[in-house]
Amino acid sequence: VFKRITDMNQSGNHEAIRNEKDPFRAISLFLEFRTQFIIKYYNILEFLKNFNPRQIPVELQPIFSNLQKRELKTLTTIIEKGVEAGLFKIDDVKAVAELFFDMLDGFRQKSLSKVNFFPEKKQFQSVLKREKEFAAIFFKGLTK
């Protein structure tokens, strides 16, 4: 079920992001789609996240790994577009994508750590707003 959920989510979103010419708008779309996915499947994601990586059932490990790889690939592709367009001056695109991805995960964890059970939609929207603010600072700081 989790594999099906992640595959369905990825297919439509990836095309919209890939077709976006403006890397800043593509990052914004990525963040919006990611937040929608987290809102929709929050209980499943948080339940599975509480496992120690070595305790996650063997069948789920490749699904998590592939999900993370796909998100990093999407970010890498967006950043590469910015480099090709002459907007970003980045030597190691993959490292920047990984750093950005880790920061997003940290924002969500920190922001939602104070929630007792299930965050309200406005809390997710608050996280999304902060992620977009961070993305603007992060990438505009890398512009020529």
Side-chain angles (χ1 to χ4, degrees), residues 10-56:
Q10 182 69 18
S11 61
N13 297 346
H14 185 70
E15 185 176 336
I17 293 169
R18 186 178 56 237
N19 291 335
E20 178 57 55
K21 304 289 186 225
D22 178 359
F24 293 107
R25 178 70 187 131
I27 288 288
S28 184
L29 284 173
F30 171 82
L31 295 173
E32 289 169 16
F33 291 145
R34 187 171 190 265
T35 298
Q36 290 169 5
F37 179 79
I38 291 169
I39 289 171
K40 190 171 184 178
Y41 299 109
Y42 180 78
N43 285 338
I44 294 170
L45 295 169
E46 287 304 304
F47 172 75
L48 294 172
K49 196 171 166 188
N50 287 328
F51 282 104
N52 178 314
R54 291 181 298 258
Q55 296 173 328
I56 293 176

Side-chain angles (χ1 to χ4, degrees), residues 77-89:
T77 301
I78 294 168
I79 295 168
E80 285 171 343
K81 279 184 186 180
V83 170
E84 290 168 8
L87 295 173
F88 303 151
K89 184 181 182 292

Side-chain angles (χ1 to χ4, degrees), residues 12 15 33 40 44 54 65 71 85 90 92 96 108 131:
E15 185 176 336
F33 291 145
K40 190 171 184 178
I44 294 170
R54 291 181 298 258
S65 177
E71 285 194 324
I90 300 171
D92 190 344
V96 170
R108 184 173 52 87
E131 288 174 340

Side-chain angles (χ1 to χ4, degrees), residues 10 14 17-18 26-27 30 65-81 93-98 100-101:
Q10 182 69 18
H14 185 70
I17 293 169
R18 186 178 56 237
I27 288 288
F30 171 82
S65 177
N66 287 337
L67 180 60
Q68 183 177 16
K69 285 177 186 173
R70 285 191 304 217
E71 285 194 324
L72 282 170
K73 184 174 177 6
T74 299
L75 281 172
T76 301
T77 301
I78 294 168
I79 295 168
E80 285 171 343
K81 279 184 186 180
V93 171
K94 186 175 184 238
V96 170
E98 289 172 353
F100 186 76
F101 184 80

